[in-house]
Amino acid sequence: MHRLAPAALVLLAAGAASAEETRQLDAHEHGVGQLNIAFDGDQIAMELHAPGADIVGFEYEAKTAEDRAKVDAAVATLARPLDLFALPATAGCSVVQASASLESEEDHDDHGHEDHADDHDDHDHAKHGEEGHTDEDHAAHQKDHDHDHDDHGKEANHTEFHAEYLLNCAVPAQATLVTFAYFDSFPNALELEVQVVSDRGATAFEVVRDAPTLDLRDMF
Ligand SMILES: [Zn+2]
């Protein structure tokens, strides 16, 4: 039985890790992003979520100048919605608001990890000195301790880019075709799951790299 014990521990650790990661991966498959489009009068609201892997090709924390520059360039690109999701000129759409940012699942880099090792047994959360520390956070930390911090990145880290847009259109009913230059800007992106909401209701579409257009005529 002694020979089995380490394997059992590994299985337990893997179980804890997958519980932590499944939650993220449910809404995060590399190559696949989500785009919501809502028509409301003259306005079109859009929201994009895309894995860091799709947008910059990595999901570890950008530490080198080159990686930071990639993130900055991506955020700037994501802040120009009509260059990514082109609409017919006849719709007369312009950008009212656009914001884009990188979101990371891992925001614990500021912890003193030596403290954590002592805390794990007695669950003395007060020692963390920060609010909102949950058992799940704790599990995540414990997982981290099994790895060298320089190489655990791809396993433990997932990042997503998030963008929100508000467009105003002179003739929104002409916004019947969306052309996804998005796939040209981001070579690692393969698919967007698109939810469109209009007076006609809500409809789900999948737009893929090989067929990067979305016909919205039925939504008007
Ligand atoms: Zn990921």
Side-chain angles (χ1 to χ4, degrees):
M1 289 304 288
H2 281 289
R3 294 185 61 207
L4 292 176
L9 285 175
V10 168
L11 283 175
L12 282 173
S18 74
E20 175 75 13
E21 284 170 9
T22 300
R23 197 181 43 180
Q24 302 166 9
L25 292 171
D26 278 348
H28 180 127
E29 176 185 346
H30 291 181
V32 181
Q34 282 84 37
L35 178 68
N36 297 322
I37 305 175
F39 289 90
D40 184 13
D42 292 342
Q43 295 194 319
I44 304 175
M46 303 171 79
E47 184 173 19
L48 173 73
H49 284 277
D54 296 27
I55 302 300
V56 290
F58 60 84
E59 297 194 351
Y60 53 81
E61 184 186 355
K63 289 204 167 85
T64 66
E66 185 184 4
D67 286 344
R68 287 180 200 274
K70 273 189 195 171
V71 170
D72 290 345
V75 167
T77 301
L78 287 170
R80 295 192 299 272
L82 291 174
D83 291 348
L84 299 173
F85 311 108
L87 297 168
T90 49
C93 297
S94 57
V95 179
V96 178
Q97 283 176 22
S99 65
S101 62
L102 174 63
E103 297 174 341
S104 174
E105 295 285 347
E106 172 132 345
D107 54 3
H108 305 290
D109 287 348
D110 54 338
H111 283 283
H113 283 270
E114 283 168 28
D115 292 342
H116 287 290
D118 295 328
D119 293 348
H120 279 146
D121 288 332
D122 58 15
H123 289 270
D124 182 5
H125 286 226
K127 282 189 184 177
H128 288 288
E130 79 177 36
E131 296 173 11
H133 222 78
T134 66
D135 285 334
E136 280 180 347
D137 292 330
H138 225 63
H141 283 298
Q142 212 145 13
K143 184 180 60 177
D144 287 351
H145 284 289
D146 297 329
H147 298 280
D148 179 345
H149 277 258
D150 286 327
D151 66 25
H152 81 284
K154 274 209 168 177
E155 288 290 311
N157 244 354
H158 281 281
T159 60
E160 287 200 343
F161 284 84
H162 178 213
E164 291 185 4
Y165 313 120
L166 186 62
L167 310 179
N168 195 77
C169 301
V171 192
Q174 291 287 318
T176 52
L177 184 73
V178 186
T179 303
F180 287 70
Y182 171 82
F183 293 108
D184 298 326
S185 294
F186 303 115
N188 295 316
L190 303 177
E191 178 184 330
L192 280 179
E193 295 171 342
V194 184
Q195 276 276 350
V196 182
V197 177
S198 74
D199 291 344
R200 292 282 189 94
T203 308
F205 301 89
E206 285 184 2
V207 179
V208 297
R209 163 171 294 280
D210 289 343
T213 58
L214 177 59
D215 185 337
L216 292 177
R217 278 175 293 186
D218 290 343
M219 300 305 293
F220 296 98

